[in-house]
Amino acid sequence: MFAARKTQMPTSDKALSGRAIPILVPDRHFVSGNRIAPPFAAGLEQALFGLGCLWGAERKFWQQPCVYSTAVGYAGGYTPNPTYEEVCTGMTGHTEVVLVVFDPRQTNYENLLKTFWEAHDPTQGMRQGNDIGTQYRSGIYVYNAQQRAIAEASRKKYEELLKRAGFAAISTEIVDLPPFYYAEEYHQQYLAKNPNGYCGLGGTGVTCAL
């Protein structure tokens, strides 16, 4: 029953109240040394993705060429400045997300989407593998109309490829950018600090040819 409750989105009136004070995070990325919080240098752009456990998801993106910085946090729910423990209850409505800061002169949003689609199974609804709950749902949170158009086109194309391979329909949500709340310091670049740490991500094996 507890697992079933965790896969149902709470309503705003039932969500945890949270707090007004943001969680403190380090200024610099543990791997790259670049900033993980604004202000970012002029010309850099941002993307926000939810694809399961934040530890492994973040590593997928910081390993990509020309990504300036990454950070993990929570988005898509109701509770302001939630803690990890609160998100895990399923009563905040948030999913675990990765903030990706990139230079559009060196890479593009399509390349980030390719990493996003191939790094997880976007057909599983409120779960990724053995990780079950609303916090593990798949989501793309767009900063502008251009990102939305590119994301929706990529979802349509990748869904066709997945269906040919025998997978179900994609459950990924694509919505306008919600508030993003940074996760606690120990979550930031966790797998760089703990190389043998848990990573439950697993893709479908279907290449995303955008």
Side-chain angles (χ1 to χ4, degrees), residues 29-32 54-72 98 100 115 187-193:
H29 197 281
F30 184 79
V31 178
S32 70
L54 43 74
W55 296 343
E58 184 184 20
R59 182 171 61 181
K60 290 288 185 181
F61 286 100
W62 88 54
Q63 291 176 336
Q64 299 308 306
C66 303
V67 165
Y68 173 82
S69 186
T70 58
V72 293
V98 181
V100 184
T115 298
H187 288 297
Q188 305 297 336
Q189 301 87 59
Y190 180 87
L191 291 180
K193 304 169 187 173

Side-chain angles (χ1 to χ4, degrees), residues 113-192:
L113 285 168
K114 177 178 172 64
T115 298
F116 168 79
W117 292 122
E118 293 180 353
H120 75 305
D121 183 345
T123 70
Q124 292 193 314
M126 301 295 185
R127 69 181 299 166
Q128 277 299 305
N130 292 325
D131 293 330
I132 300 173
T134 55
Q135 76 199 78
Y136 301 114
R137 70 186 185 273
S138 176
I140 303 172
Y141 305 97
V142 297
Y143 281 75
N144 51 51
Q146 182 182 28
Q147 284 193 0
R148 174 178 284 278
I150 295 171
E152 290 179 346
S154 74
R155 180 174 61 183
K156 180 179 179 181
K157 185 168 186 178
Y158 196 53
E159 186 170 62
E160 293 171 356
L161 296 173
L162 287 174
K163 286 184 175 179
R164 291 178 199 168
F167 288 89
I170 284 177
S171 58
T172 303
E173 61 185 15
I174 300 176
V175 299
D176 291 339
L177 184 72
F180 168 72
Y181 303 104
Y182 282 88
E184 295 84 344
E185 179 177 359
Y186 76 92
H187 288 297
Q188 305 297 336
Q189 301 87 59
Y190 180 87
L191 291 180

